[in-house]
Amino acid sequence: MDIAARLRFDSIVTSEIMKTRFLFGLLVLSGSFTLLTRTSAATKASEDYPFKPVPFTAVHLDDAFWAPRLETNRLVTIPYAFGKCEESGRMDNFERAAAVLRGENISNRKPPGYPFDDTDPYKVLEGASYALAVQPDPKLSAYLDKLISLIASAQEPDGYLYTTRTIDPEHPHKWAGTKRWVNESQLSHELYNAGHLFEAAAAHYQATGKTNLLHVALKEADLLCDTFGAGTNQLHIWPGHEVVEMGLAKLYRVTGNPRYLALAKYFLDVRGSHPGGDDYHQSRIPPMEQTEAIGHAVRAGYLYSGMADVAALTGDEQYIHAIDTIWQNCVGEKIYITGGIGARHNGEAFGNNYELPNLSAYNETCAAVANDYWNERLFLLHGDARYMDVLERTLYNGLLAGVSLDGTKFFYPNPLESDGHYERSPWFGCACCPGNITRFLPSVPGYFYARQKDRIYINLYAGGTADIHLDDGRKIRLTQETSYPWDGAVKINVGPEKASRFTLALRIPGWARNEAMPGGLYHFADTNTESVTLQVNGKTAPLKLENGYAKLDRKWKAGDVVTFNLPMPVRRIVASEKVKADIGRVALQRGPIVFCAEWPDNPNGKVRNLILPDDKPLSATFEPALLNGVETISGKALAISKSADGSIVKTEQNFKAIPYYAWANRGPGEMIVWLRDSDDGVQMP
Ligand SMILES: [Zn+2]
């Protein structure tokens, strides 16, 4: 379906947008807009995060692992996801809402499938904006402009944008409630829609410099500022699905308008402040009093990320204290070895402590994205590598598993075991996950580097270049050469514009320091005795670790070279014995990659019957033709089967494991991450 054929814009709407865009553009260009609002700030803002990310636009990856994935996302998944949004009526919802606003009598007033269907185009638009910032694409750019005009045309005159109500205010989706906002703290998702609009608008503005979507977002943000707050004529309601807090923080950063930051903080402060809340929505008690990762996992991850943003921008220590405590609970008791969070299907929620079933693990792809948003923000607050350890684990395993290698099939839950009845889907009725992975992947280069004063943090490793500007204006180009995540040898060419003193802080991952996970939920079964080596210009440099970083403080000149090696033996991981599901079982990891055994690689298409004894040696091999090129782990395992007389028979056979993220690309069948390591009490699966 060609979207162009569907768009019949009201010329007045378009010309209004053009006028506003022109005005806004002038203000932004002259800097007066930012200056004006900053000087009139009622809320004294802090300096934002103490550690500054190096933006994804300044980091160019040209490696064999990420670069092809980002291209697949740009060339395949983004157009595919837009196509699915068109096909499934998500664009049509905006068109029907626009027609109603123009006073047309439309025949189809059926509400959208979900009241948050508007967020799917927003999320893909956000991802497409990131992609555009890196790679100009006039066709994509034109498509976005048309889509933005369509979105703008569905916005009510006062800024309200929620197609299900606008299409038929008398009979919106049953979750929407009979009037604006009445069901917001439960199921209407009006503020969730707004939050994703804000995130998309900030990304689109930063990526393209265009203000067309930003204009739509600010109009709605202004409505929210008037509607919600502590005033007697305002609504004291918390968002039922968090994300608007992060979105408002981004609008604040873009515009400098303190109202947006104040509203983000209000949405946190009002949460749990009066009866009616519950754990599912993280609204039973105020966020700053919360100590445990609870309820719907995506909502939770977005809430904690929003708390970090507001804390960074306002200096509110109480929010930092709360998310630090919740993080300890999450990584110490509730996270999977893949970095996935949210164990339960029921309520898409965190389970109790140590409740981490494998076959029925929920681990929504969106929750992995949310977990990485949260851990990135904790790093930006604290500058500690342990948050990047969790981010990396989630990124390479639980998050990346959410999309097929060809970029057109998706997982919603990400279990750690399959009996063969679970497959990826081309799309979902509730399509939050495809959009989330589509928007997250293009931003991956933005997680690699950070800076603070005269320190540069190198958090992730992949071949490519980064152009880093320190606060004092110094420019430094870093070039990484590495085959990470398959090989831990990394060479970094240091290229300061002028020779000068600064510090390079290299993250030495937990897995290279015999720490499987901060918090002790998982540990390596053995101790790796191969040590990390570090050299500067070929000379061994001392490995002094501080917060997980090897710091090299010296006067650098162009042509300096840092080399280091993170040994990547195959490691067995065991879980705390409090995790019942993993008792008597081991998982395999090499470097940052968690492995699984999948049906095509093991005899008889079975893997749930395997025992991997602790003394069986395992080796790793790179297989360029398998699954777009992956390292595999092989050795011998015991397969259990039942003989004719009913007794259990063990047979030694070849064993092979592949990276967890690459499973389910070869048709449905068995898969398992946690393998039995002995036949104690073994039963036929
Ligand atoms: Zn989702």
Side-chain angles (χ1 to χ4, degrees):
M1 221 177 297
D2 179 12
I3 191 168
R6 300 159 142 266
L7 302 173
R8 297 286 180 271
F9 300 122
D10 188 295
S11 61
I12 298 166
V13 172
T14 310
S15 72
E16 269 307 308
I17 290 170
M18 290 301 293
K19 256 189 280 173
T20 314
R21 189 189 300 171
F22 176 66
L23 262 177
F24 191 88
L26 276 182
L27 288 165
V28 169
L29 275 175
S30 67
S32 59
F33 183 81
T34 306
L35 196 67
L36 189 81
T37 51
R38 279 204 189 275
T39 49
S40 64
T43 308
K44 171 78 183 81
S46 81
E47 291 292 305
D48 212 333
Y49 286 103
F51 298 83
K52 314 284 181 200
V54 173
F56 69 96
T57 44
V59 181
H60 178 71
L61 302 181
D62 57 12
D63 67 325
F65 189 86
W66 285 111
R69 280 186 167 71
L70 302 194
E71 272 303 87
T72 300
N73 190 63
R74 186 174 76 85
L75 296 172
V76 179
T77 313
I78 288 172
Y80 176 87
F82 275 137
K84 285 288 178 189
C85 286
E86 293 179 17
E87 226 175 76
S88 59
R90 281 163 169 78
M91 308 308 196
D92 188 53
N93 293 335
F94 290 103
E95 189 169 296
R96 290 187 296 141
V100 170
L101 290 178
R102 290 192 297 266
E104 293 166 22
N105 203 357
I106 61 166
S107 55
N108 177 11
R109 295 230 173 191
K110 198 168 163 263
Y114 286 99
F116 46 78
D117 279 356
D118 298 353
T119 62
D120 299 319
Y122 296 160
K123 281 193 268 191
V124 184
L125 209 164
E126 183 182 338
S129 301
Y130 290 138
L132 273 183
V134 178
Q135 182 75 41
D137 181 340
K139 208 175 133 199
L140 181 60
S141 182
Y143 182 93
L144 295 195
D145 284 339
K146 280 179 186 161
L147 174 59
I148 290 164
S149 297
L150 177 62
I151 292 167
S153 67
Q155 184 169 37
E156 298 193 12
D158 67 353
Y160 187 75
L161 182 44
Y162 184 63
T163 60
T164 190
R165 196 180 310 283
T166 308
I167 289 169
D168 189 351
E170 298 298 313
H171 308 96
H173 190 281
K174 63 182 176 191
W175 293 358
T178 49
K179 286 197 187 112
R180 284 184 184 186
W181 321 117
V182 295
N183 218 12
E184 172 50 44
S185 64
Q186 293 297 315
L187 279 171
S188 79
H189 292 79
E190 284 151 293
L191 292 173
Y192 175 73
N193 284 12
H196 275 301
L197 171 68
F198 299 169
E199 296 227 296
H204 182 257
Y205 169 66
Q206 284 168 328
T208 65
K210 293 182 189 174
T211 55
N212 43 353
L213 190 60
L214 186 62
H215 171 65
V216 177
L218 296 185
K219 200 169 163 189
E220 179 158 34
D222 290 339
L223 172 72
L224 300 188
C225 289
D226 293 339
T227 307
F228 298 92
T232 44
N233 297 325
Q234 290 177 302
L235 296 175
H236 317 303
I237 293 173
W238 55 76
H241 193 316
E242 301 89 331
V243 82
V244 73
E245 305 83 356
M246 278 192 279
L248 284 164
K250 283 182 182 165
L251 291 187
Y252 168 71
R253 289 195 183 100
V254 166
T255 63
N257 186 339
R259 291 182 86 199
Y260 304 146
L261 176 59
L263 184 62
K265 185 168 183 337
Y266 178 77
F267 279 144
L268 296 178
D269 293 342
V270 74
R271 179 169 291 278
S273 67
H274 53 83
D278 55 45
D279 284 344
Y280 172 87
H281 296 90
Q282 299 86 32
S283 56
R284 189 172 53 80
I285 52 174
M288 62 177 67
E289 292 170 23
Q290 296 185 19
T291 56
E292 196 184 346
I294 46 159
H296 187 269
V298 182
R299 283 173 164 86
Y302 288 174
L303 170 64
Y304 310 148
S305 300
M307 287 161 75
D309 281 347
V310 169
L313 290 165
T314 63
D316 192 325
E317 296 281 336
Q318 293 184 86
Y319 281 126
I320 299 176
H321 178 72
I323 49 177
D324 286 350
T325 308
I326 295 166
W327 185 84
Q328 295 286 355
N329 171 244
C330 184
V331 301
E333 277 109 11
K334 295 193 174 181
I335 196 169
Y336 281 91
I337 192 65
T338 54
I341 55 170
R344 288 185 189 166
H345 277 247
N346 187 8
E348 306 184 309
F350 285 103
N352 294 327
N353 288 344
Y354 309 109
E355 180 189 337
L356 295 162
N358 292 309
L359 187 64
S360 67
Y362 198 66
N363 285 340
E364 183 175 343
T365 300
C366 287
V369 169
N371 198 29
D372 272 357
Y373 285 155
W374 180 27
N375 278 282
E376 156 82 345
R377 285 162 168 80
L378 285 167
F379 161 76
L380 296 174
L381 283 170
H382 299 301
D384 194 304
R386 59 191 175 157
Y387 306 110
M388 299 310 296
D389 286 348
V390 177
L391 183 149
E392 180 183 66
R393 177 173 293 282
T394 304
L395 176 61
Y396 280 95
N397 302 292
L399 192 155
L400 207 47
V403 60
S404 64
L405 296 177
D406 71 0
T408 63
K409 291 197 183 66
F410 308 91
F411 271 148
Y412 197 120
N414 291 274
L416 277 73
E417 183 174 353
S418 173
D419 59 9
H421 295 100
Y422 185 56
E423 274 193 275
R424 296 176 189 279
S425 296
W427 196 247
F428 305 96
C430 169
C432 50
C433 296
N436 239 341
I437 202 140
T438 306
R439 74 174 175 143
F440 187 84
L441 285 179
S443 73
V444 162
Y447 294 84
F448 274 66
Y449 299 90
R451 61 189 175 80
Q452 188 211 31
K453 296 178 183 145
D454 60 355
R455 270 189 202 161
I456 298 171
Y457 288 80
I458 307 175
N459 278 321
L460 297 173
Y461 300 109
T465 55
D467 290 303
I468 298 160
H469 292 201
L470 296 181
D471 287 339
D472 57 15
R474 280 184 286 169
K475 291 180 191 165
I476 295 128
R477 168 169 282 202
L478 298 181
T479 307
Q480 285 194 38
E481 293 171 37
T482 176
S483 301
Y484 203 92
W486 310 126
D487 189 304
V490 181
K491 179 177 170 192
I492 299 170
N493 296 288
V494 186
E497 208 173 38
K498 283 185 196 144
S500 69
R501 190 179 188 105
F502 55 90
T503 302
L504 286 184
L506 312 167
R507 173 174 156 265
I508 306 300
W511 55 259
R513 296 182 279 108
N514 287 307
E515 182 186 81
M517 180 85 80
L521 185 58
Y522 303 102
H523 60 272
F524 290 111
D526 58 356
T527 300
N528 175 29
T529 50
E530 287 179 74
S531 49
V532 177
T533 56
L534 176 64
Q535 283 117 20
V536 178
N537 296 331
K539 277 192 203 148
T540 299
L543 196 73
K544 282 184 291 185
L545 290 190
E546 194 187 315
N547 294 335
Y549 292 92
K551 289 185 177 159
L552 295 169
D553 175 18
R554 66 197 301 274
K555 188 173 176 184
W556 298 94
K557 59 180 191 317
D560 283 342
V561 175
V562 176
T563 49
F564 60 98
N565 188 43
L566 306 168
M568 288 189 177
V570 176
R571 308 290 299 273
R572 285 173 164 88
I573 291 180
V574 290
S576 157
E577 55 196 29
K578 291 175 182 163
V579 182
K580 289 209 171 61
D582 300 339
I583 290 174
R585 291 174 183 268
V586 290
L588 300 175
Q589 183 171 335
R590 183 179 177 279
I593 303 288
V594 174
F595 285 73
C596 68
E598 197 189 15
W599 65 276
D601 310 303
N602 291 280
N604 309 313
K606 283 175 166 293
V607 295
R608 298 174 75 217
N609 63 334
L610 298 179
I611 297 172
L612 192 65
D614 296 341
D615 57 356
K616 293 281 182 197
L618 296 166
S619 61
T621 321
F622 188 73
E623 297 194 43
L626 183 66
L627 299 163
N628 292 354
V630 288
E631 199 82 24
T632 61
I633 294 174
S634 41
K636 296 283 184 191
L638 301 173
I640 50 175
S641 57
K642 227 177 221 176
S643 68
D645 64 6
S647 60
I648 287 177
V649 181
K650 284 183 283 183
T651 319
E652 188 173 88
Q653 64 182 40
N654 288 333
F655 166 80
K656 185 151 127 181
I658 59 159
Y660 171 77
Y661 75 76
W663 87 279
N665 280 287
R666 296 171 291 177
E670 291 190 1
M671 181 280 291
I672 193 162
V673 172
W674 288 98
L675 293 138
R676 277 191 195 82
D677 70 343
S678 79
D679 56 357
D680 288 354
V682 80
Q683 290 174 344
M684 287 303 297

